[in-house]
Amino acid sequence: MSRNEEIAILKEIAELLNEGTDSKTILAEVLKKLLSITGLQTGWIFLIDENGGHQLAAKAALPEALASNHNQRMCKGDCWCVNRYNNGRLNKAVNIIECQRIENVILENAGDTAGLTHHATVPLRAGNERFGILNVGSPYKTHFQKDELALLEAVAFQIGTALKRIKLTESEQETALISERNRLARDLHDSVNQLLFSLSLTARAGREMTDVVEVKQTFSYIQDLAQEALGEMRALIWQLKPQGLENGIISALSGYAEMLGLTIEVKLTGISSFPEKVEEALWRIGQEALGNCKKHSQTTHVSLVLNRNSDFVTMTILDQGCGFNYDENLELPSFGLKNMKVRTQSLNGTFLLKSEPGKGTKIQIKIPI
């Protein structure tokens, strides 16, 4: 491949990367483009987290044996390239003599590998920050030349830089969102919250200034509505401002339950730390579940069980209230419950709801770590 051809390839890929804002989308598109313009036939990209866990972020033309059962062989188990990356021994583009995943297929006679036995592997990084690995290969190709590896390494640097840019953009968006939440919470507290409090006091004064029973009842009703709206507003402000998470999810949910007037019994087992996105999801789901308990369960007692092991975090919120008729084969009956399920599934988790009249309600969230 000539120098001009290499420059043209890098230019095409750079243009593609500069347009993308979603990491998984651009990884799939760049991998497809790379294979197309280099003549290589198959490839896949693993994103690897700081704990060494890998996920298949993009793939192209995988052999049948690797693509079967929803790419199960690519999503589970270890391999030499991932192990070498995690051990700090993969710092540049290299030939992998044989692919462990493909070798296992051959040993087990588990399907057709389409002649693929070897691949090149390249780390994805930007500066000192690492993101994962790029693997490419072709049937019966057992060795990559130095110029081929150099090109793959240049492409990998471009991908790493794009992933870093997307990560920084997402961080900026998250910071802006938190700032806007806090601003809105302050505005609600300074305006609507104070108006509702004034309305409650005015209604109370009006009730005490009259002897007419009907008027007293009207002012009492207004005061009750104002108090209820005030409680709703305080709960909304809590939801807008995820304060308390700096002290952990248990502290945050306990404080929220107390604010709602609930008595909460908490049990924590396993590791108490969680990834940021998981903790945020548990916080929002827990708020919704406790809010439903306050509004609908006709009880003020609720239990919260949180368990974290090396693979999953499980949160269970249980009350012994009035319960309701629920059939798991039917659609969830409220927007709040649907929202909890959507948040859970967005992190590849499972949502379980059990409830019967007179037997309370149980909500269980299980999210992989």
Side-chain angles (χ1 to χ4, degrees), residues 123-134:
L124 304 176
R125 55 191 178 95
N128 294 324
E129 190 167 358
R130 306 191 307 162
F131 300 97
I133 51 179
L134 164 68

Side-chain angles (χ1 to χ4, degrees), residues 144-155:
F144 287 79
Q145 302 298 326
K146 286 185 178 180
D147 60 337
E148 292 178 300
L149 294 176
L151 176 62
L152 292 175
E153 197 163 49
V155 171

Side-chain angles (χ1 to χ4, degrees), residues 171-181:
S171 178
E172 290 175 359
Q173 291 173 342
E174 183 71 18
T175 300
L177 178 60
I178 292 173
S179 177
E180 179 61 18
R181 281 177 176 170

Side-chain angles (χ1 to χ4, degrees), residues 15 34 44 56 71 81 98 119 124 129 140 154 157 173-174 177 181-182 237 245 272 287 294 306 334 347 349 351 366:
E15 290 174 349
L34 176 63
W44 59 95
L56 182 65
N71 314 298
C81 55
E98 291 176 335
H119 64 76
L124 304 176
E129 190 167 358
Y140 310 108
F157 274 125
Q173 291 173 342
E174 183 71 18
L177 178 60
R181 281 177 176 170
N182 289 339
I237 290 172
L245 279 180
S272 60
Q287 284 181 318
K294 172 67 176 179
L306 196 63
S334 74
L347 294 173
F351 174 87
K366 187 174 184 180

Side-chain angles (χ1 to χ4, degrees), residues 60-73:
L62 288 177
E64 178 187 345
L66 297 181
S68 62
N69 296 324
H70 305 287
N71 314 298
Q72 184 176 8
R73 286 185 179 272

Side-chain angles (χ1 to χ4, degrees), residues 249-250 253 267-283 285 304-316 343-344 347-352 363-369:
I249 184 68
I250 292 296
L253 288 175
K267 182 179 180 181
L268 174 65
T269 59
I271 309 168
S272 60
S273 61
F274 308 96
E276 183 178 344
K277 288 185 178 180
V278 173
E279 189 171 45
E280 173 77 9
L282 293 175
W283 166 237
I285 293 167
L304 167 66
V305 179
L306 196 63
N307 174 259
R308 154 85 193 265
N309 58 33
S310 59
D311 299 319
F312 292 93
V313 56
T314 304
M315 181 174 74
T316 304
R343 285 186 185 275
T344 305
L347 294 173
N348 299 317
T350 55
F351 174 87
L352 174 67
I363 292 174
Q364 186 173 81
I365 308 299
K366 187 174 184 180
I367 299 175
I369 300 298

Side-chain angles (χ1 to χ4, degrees), residues 76-103:
K76 295 183 178 181
D78 294 327
C79 63
W80 292 315
C81 55
V82 172
N83 289 340
R84 186 175 294 184
Y85 174 94
N86 287 331
N87 291 335
R89 295 186 292 118
L90 183 62
N91 299 311
K92 61 180 182 179
V94 296
N95 287 290
I96 292 296
I97 298 175
E98 291 176 335
C99 175
Q100 183 179 355
R101 298 177 193 274
I102 294 177
E103 184 177 284

Side-chain angles (χ1 to χ4, degrees), residues 37-38 52 60 63 82 87 135 161 198 212 255-256 265 273 292 330 354:
I37 58 185
T38 59
V82 172
N87 291 335
N135 290 336
T161 301
S198 298
V212 180
Y256 187 68
E265 179 183 350
S273 61
N292 284 347
L330 300 178
K354 290 186 176 181

